[in-house]
Amino acid sequence: MNLLQRKVLRTGLVGNIQKCQLFGTTSTLQQNQAEAQAKSTIDSKDVHHHEGLMKTWWDELGPIKPLHSMNLVRVPFIRDGLVPCSPEERNAAPLHNKKILDVGCGGGILSEALAKIGASVTGIDAGKALIDLAIEHSKMNPKLGNNLPSYICTSVEDHCKERKNYYDAVVASEVIEHVNNQELFLKSCIEAVKTGGKIFITTPNRSRATQFFGIFLAEYVFNLIPKGTHQYEKFLTVPELTFLLERNNCHVESTCGLIYRPLSNKWEFSTSQLIMFALQARKLE
Amino acid sequence: MLKTNIQSIISLRKLSSSQNASIKGSYDVIIAGGGMVGCTLACAMGKKALLSNLKVLLLEGSLSQRFELKQEYSNRVVALNQNTKSLMKSLQVWEHVEKMRLQPVRYMQVWDACSDALISFSSSDILDDDVAYIVENDVLLHAIDKELKTSDVKNVEIVYGAKIAGYELPQINSQNSESIVKMSNGDTYKCQLLIGADGANSAVRKAMGVQYLSWNYDQMGVVATLHLAEETENTTAWQRFLPTGPVAFLPLDSKRSSLVWSTTHAHAKELLKLPDEQFVDALNDAMWKQYPRRGAVDACTMWVGGLLRRAGLPDGAERQLPPSVRAIAPASRAAFPFAFGHSTKYIAPGVVLVGDAAHRVHPLAGQGVNLGFGDVKDLTDLLADALYTGLDISHHSWLQSYESLRQRHNVPTQLAIDALYRLYSLDIAPLVLVRSLGLQLTNAFHPIKIGLYDDGTPAAQA
């Protein structure tokens, strides 16, 4: 499928040509803002949105409980993608000596979980208040021992200039759907990772099912996640994300679907990638 | 004024000193109950690499006892299935059991006293492996204990003669998931995860305040060690369903078998009082005596048997004859009651139940302790997986998986055993017909039989 076909297909789906600039900044409303931030992936509106959640960020049964329970699938996904290990050889710190960059770490939910199993985690986020919260919380958590994640308030495109070819893995979990200029974002992530290192991404798929379940029902009817968390236009489909990665010197090794069950607050891997998916890619030479 | 002040200071001191002295140790895991299931769990926590960093305390009520293998067999035995065997093998316990003694069951015959119906299992049915293994309770416990005390297990402390006064469990929704175990001698222990392996009358379960569904069966089990009339290979387990309950012979060695005779309370008490010779007569009667038959039932089973024969399937007519009993081992007779029990919750925040504390069954299918060992296997696997993912030791997600996994296995097994008990406890014609045909057909169709086996070894257990 060439780019033109892709655009046409997508136009049919979205029904709004202006919203379909696949590889540019996403929404027309933010066009002006976006021009000012032409070299930035940060969407200031989204940053503010998450800062508002500060107080409830670390409540496992609070408004963002899906992000907490999601650790039960994304931690194994990253762990097993990074260090395949037979059951007999397992130890409690499988990610020991692995340098991981958690892009868009927010309050540090995933960063702490990865640090707990031994990884040296660097968490970056554009929200200063969130980074402060993450630092504060990591100090309060006795289970981390001495292996505290280091948190930096920065953007990935700035960070990757300092740490080129540095990380064993870069993780962007539930982030890429929040950024402007998604290709710049991915390029920066890829730059920060070593050759042969891994990139892990989890994100909603852009499908009508996601729009219905993930936005309409979850945000507006059942209030499972705060209103305004997601914008449909920013979502990527699996082929789109694969395409972006592969044309930036990565090989997509695996993708799998994710399903969230709101009543039991549980995540499961699934063969259907219709709603959400997780993707693992390797940086080529 | 001064006096009261001083008094209050003194009382304050007392309070603070008692609080300081109170916490004698802080552990990751405390296992309450050092029976077969509790000890196996402790052993597994020492041997599984991911769990061997946990600090574990095992509290056992009885004193540490020296074990000697006696010439005479104990009257309390268990039938272990293949799943339990592989668990024990993985913990290196099995080799100790093999060095002491065990008897494989290679053939099993279960039949109805009120009809010709029969079902048999042989090792060739189940991938050339033994149907079950008969092991004395104290031999198994000693084997586990031996392995628990080897240098491979470094993280388990054991307190014998532990008298537990009470538990303080964490509140639901509280941040703190620590349980406190108070001993009657004033010691207290803290732990992240409390495991109740303290049997059918579990105090941990009572402290959890969960619903416990239970009823007593109108039966008692009479056990004894039997000396057989003839020396044989003796690898067959026999079970005959009498109208009063099943009577089972479990092989111990070439000349001895273990008896489990389930019968009414009144009859059981009577049997206990009989002199040895009369007891042996009553027993041989129970295995051999012809019970009154119903013509209609016999006609049906014969007709179905004929159909099966024509279809080339086993009709159940070939039966082996059970051994007759010469004598019983002196002072080996005992009786104990049977009950059904089901805890509606196996878990609470920071607490989990295993074994008989969570579920209890009629021993007619020999499943009680195997279900408990299954709990141990799944609990240690799930906990290891949780730690490998970086979760807290008392994280609700793995606890919930444990509960649903085990209940999905245990409850149907328990209900099936209960249904079997009820099906065979009545002697009315339609019921006899239904069960006889059911037994005959199950016996004839290989896949169903294998399915039965996969669910658990159908062997009796004391």
Side-chain angles (χ1 to χ4, degrees):
Chain A
M1 200 192 286
N2 65 32
L3 194 63
L4 189 69
Q5 275 178 315
R6 197 186 285 265
K7 270 195 173 177
V8 170
L9 191 72
R10 199 168 162 208
T11 311
L13 273 172
V14 183
N16 181 346
I17 288 177
Q18 281 176 307
K19 283 185 181 172
C20 297
Q21 294 165 320
L22 177 54
F23 303 117
T25 50
T26 29
S27 112
T28 42
L29 289 171
Q30 292 159 346
Q31 202 83 52
N32 295 336
Q33 260 181 310
E35 271 164 25
Q37 307 168 341
K39 284 281 175 238
S40 162
T41 60
I42 297 162
D43 183 335
S44 57
K45 231 171 114 190
D46 265 351
V47 172
H48 282 299
H49 172 76
H50 277 168
E51 280 183 14
L53 298 170
M54 249 231 338
K55 275 181 195 147
T56 42
W57 195 276
W58 271 100
D59 181 359
E60 274 198 40
L61 299 170
I64 52 159
K65 64 177 180 187
L67 279 184
H68 285 276
S69 55
M70 195 184 188
N71 276 356
L72 298 176
V73 289
R74 58 186 174 177
V75 171
F77 183 72
I78 295 163
R79 178 196 66 199
D80 297 342
L82 210 49
V83 259
C85 193
S86 71
E88 299 80 43
E89 296 163 349
R90 287 176 182 176
N91 61 59
L95 296 184
H96 184 63
N97 282 337
K98 296 284 175 196
K99 293 191 289 272
I100 298 181
L101 175 66
D102 181 9
V103 182
C105 62
I109 296 174
L110 181 58
S111 301
E112 284 195 15
L114 293 171
K116 248 190 220 168
I117 52 173
S120 322
V121 183
T122 307
I124 60 170
D125 201 288
K128 181 84 181 77
L130 285 177
I131 288 293
D132 290 344
L133 171 76
I135 293 171
E136 209 172 306
H137 188 273
S138 66
K139 284 180 188 155
M140 277 162 28
N141 188 349
K143 276 152 198 145
L144 291 173
N146 294 324
N147 188 27
L148 298 190
S150 56
Y151 292 108
I152 309 168
C153 181
T154 179
S155 64
V156 67
E157 59 273 16
D158 289 339
H159 186 73
C160 73
K161 284 172 196 145
E162 295 159 29
R163 303 252 174 107
K164 264 186 195 157
N165 298 324
Y166 179 78
Y167 292 102
D168 294 293
V170 173
V171 178
S173 180
E174 305 305 294
V175 178
I176 196 163
E177 70 273 19
H178 296 290
V179 303
N180 290 322
N181 200 344
Q182 288 161 328
E183 187 163 20
L184 175 61
F185 175 84
L186 285 176
K187 272 183 175 162
S188 310
C189 291
I190 295 163
E191 201 169 348
V193 83
K194 282 178 192 166
T195 301
K198 303 280 171 105
I199 292 155
F200 298 97
I201 293 170
T202 71
T203 185
N205 192 350
R206 195 184 67 253
S207 66
R208 289 294 164 192
T210 318
Q211 191 177 28
F212 181 71
F213 292 108
I215 300 180
F216 177 67
L217 285 187
E219 291 184 17
Y220 292 91
V221 179
F222 295 115
N223 292 324
L224 292 172
I225 43 178
K227 289 190 182 70
T229 302
H230 290 122
Q231 287 140 30
Y232 177 75
E233 296 74 24
K234 284 189 166 188
F235 293 168
L236 291 171
T237 61
V238 184
E240 281 167 2
L241 185 56
T242 306
F243 177 78
L244 285 177
L245 284 164
E246 302 227 322
R247 87 165 175 195
N248 284 292
N249 194 31
C250 282
H251 170 60
V252 174
E253 293 180 318
S254 71
T255 58
C256 67
L258 291 174
I259 298 264
Y260 179 62
R261 308 207 179 274
L263 289 181
S264 54
N265 188 27
K266 280 204 172 99
W267 289 83
E268 274 167 32
F269 290 111
S270 148
T271 47
S272 160
Q273 306 180 343
L274 194 62
I275 304 219
M276 301 196 66
F277 64 96
L279 177 148
Q280 172 190 326
R282 183 165 48 87
K283 184 178 177 181
L284 304 171
E285 286 181 28
Chain B
M1 182 66 186
L2 188 69
K3 217 177 171 183
T4 49
N5 263 346
I6 290 172
Q7 265 179 348
S8 68
I9 287 169
I10 290 172
S11 67
L12 261 178
R13 264 203 196 139
K14 262 189 188 163
L15 198 70
S16 63
S17 70
S18 77
Q19 266 175 354
N20 285 338
S22 60
I23 302 296
K24 198 166 178 225
S26 183
Y27 295 86
D28 292 313
V29 180
I30 291 182
I31 302 169
M36 287 187 279
V37 171
C39 282
T40 307
L41 185 57
C43 191
M45 290 206 163
K47 298 230 162 181
K48 235 181 152 90
L50 268 164
L51 304 181
S52 60
N53 292 327
L54 299 176
K55 213 175 145 198
V56 181
L57 177 68
L58 177 66
L59 298 173
E60 165 54 24
S62 62
L63 295 169
S64 175
Q65 279 159 0
R66 271 183 62 95
F67 174 81
E68 265 174 78
L69 195 60
K70 296 191 189 79
Q71 185 78 43
E72 193 50 78
Y73 279 81
S74 151
N75 60 4
R76 301 299 303 268
V77 300
V78 284
L80 304 179
N81 63 19
Q82 290 294 340
N83 291 339
T84 301
K85 180 186 173 183
S86 54
L87 173 70
M88 292 303 168
K89 269 201 154 157
S90 74
L91 299 175
Q92 285 91 40
V93 168
W94 195 251
E95 47 202 75
H96 296 306
V97 177
E98 275 177 332
K99 252 179 240 161
M100 286 183 276
R101 60 190 174 202
L102 66 90
Q103 182 75 344
V105 177
R106 303 219 163 90
Y107 181 81
M108 193 171 76
Q109 182 169 302
V110 180
W111 71 107
D112 194 339
C114 303
S115 76
D116 277 330
L118 164 147
I119 189 166
S120 65
F121 296 85
S122 71
S123 23
S124 58
D125 285 346
I126 42 170
L127 303 167
D128 272 337
D129 220 333
D130 301 319
V131 180
Y133 302 88
I134 308 298
V135 181
E136 291 150 274
N137 290 19
D138 49 7
V139 166
L140 183 60
L141 191 58
H142 177 67
I144 301 163
D145 195 52
K146 210 166 166 180
E147 205 48 43
L148 190 54
K149 284 172 185 156
T150 56
S151 56
D152 292 357
V153 180
K154 296 187 182 71
N155 59 332
V156 180
E157 283 175 48
I158 308 173
V159 173
Y160 289 101
K163 296 281 168 281
I164 296 166
Y167 299 98
E168 260 178 46
L169 305 184
Q171 296 295 308
I172 296 174
N173 293 334
S174 82
Q175 288 295 312
N176 180 14
S177 70
E178 271 180 355
S179 298
I180 293 173
V181 183
K182 291 185 178 154
M183 314 299 292
S184 54
N185 64 4
D187 295 347
T188 23
Y189 300 103
K190 270 199 316 192
C191 65
Q192 296 293 319
L193 179 68
L194 174 66
I195 302 178
D198 46 352
N201 284 319
S202 171
V204 174
R205 188 184 67 228
K206 282 169 194 156
M208 284 162 72
V210 294
Q211 271 191 17
Y212 186 63
L213 183 68
S214 68
W215 54 80
N216 290 321
Y217 289 114
D218 190 23
Q219 281 185 351
M220 282 181 95
V222 177
V223 295
T225 306
L226 310 176
H227 293 260
L228 304 179
E230 282 167 49
E231 186 165 345
T232 59
E233 196 195 5
N234 202 18
T235 51
T236 302
W238 310 91
Q239 179 153 300
R240 188 185 197 202
F241 278 100
L242 308 179
T244 48
V247 53
F249 291 0
L250 308 174
L252 293 174
D253 66 4
S254 61
K255 282 184 288 188
R256 281 173 286 194
S257 284
S258 186
L259 167 75
V260 192
W261 189 349
S262 316
T263 185
T264 60
H265 288 275
H267 189 215
K269 277 172 195 147
E270 217 173 281
L271 287 174
L272 284 184
K273 280 186 211 134
L274 288 179
D276 281 0
E277 299 79 40
Q278 285 183 33
F279 180 77
V280 169
D281 290 344
L283 190 55
N284 282 325
D285 257 11
M287 258 313 176
W288 289 93
K289 191 180 129 189
Q290 275 282 349
Y291 278 75
R293 297 296 188 86
R294 286 190 184 75
V297 173
D298 275 355
C300 281
T301 53
M302 270 174 70
W303 182 70
V304 171
L307 279 184
L308 291 171
R309 207 164 30 246
R310 248 174 288 161
L313 292 165
D315 58 354
E318 295 159 32
R319 58 184 60 210
Q320 297 188 18
L321 298 178
S324 41
V325 178
R326 181 171 54 81
I328 65 166
S332 69
R333 248 185 293 170
F336 54 93
F338 293 153
F340 176 97
H342 164 66
S343 177
T344 53
K345 296 287 290 172
Y346 286 8
I347 57 164
V351 194
V352 53
L353 298 176
V354 293
D356 279 6
H359 44 74
R360 197 173 170 195
V361 291
H362 192 291
L364 70 87
Q367 283 310 300
V369 81
N370 289 310
L371 292 182
F373 289 130
D375 293 347
V376 170
K377 168 98 174 59
D378 285 348
L379 187 142
T380 48
D381 284 352
L382 288 165
L383 178 57
D385 208 47
L387 296 181
Y388 190 53
T389 311
L391 300 182
D392 290 347
I393 183 168
S394 57
H395 198 277
H396 56 83
S397 79
W398 80 265
L399 286 172
Q400 277 163 4
S401 310
Y402 166 78
E403 181 180 78
S404 57
L405 189 66
R406 286 319 294 170
Q407 288 197 339
R408 244 179 280 158
H409 180 263
N410 294 345
V411 175
T413 312
Q414 285 176 278
L415 293 178
I417 293 170
D418 188 62
L420 266 184
Y421 161 78
R422 286 172 202 288
L423 189 61
Y424 279 97
S425 60
L426 290 172
D427 183 23
I428 51 175
L431 218 54
V432 175
L433 179 63
V434 166
R435 73 194 190 203
S436 301
L437 294 182
L439 209 59
Q440 218 174 1
L441 293 172
T442 310
N443 187 49
F445 294 103
H446 203 245
I448 309 180
K449 237 158 78 169
I450 297 300
L452 267 185
Y453 182 79
D454 284 343
D455 255 9
T457 322
Q461 167 221 344

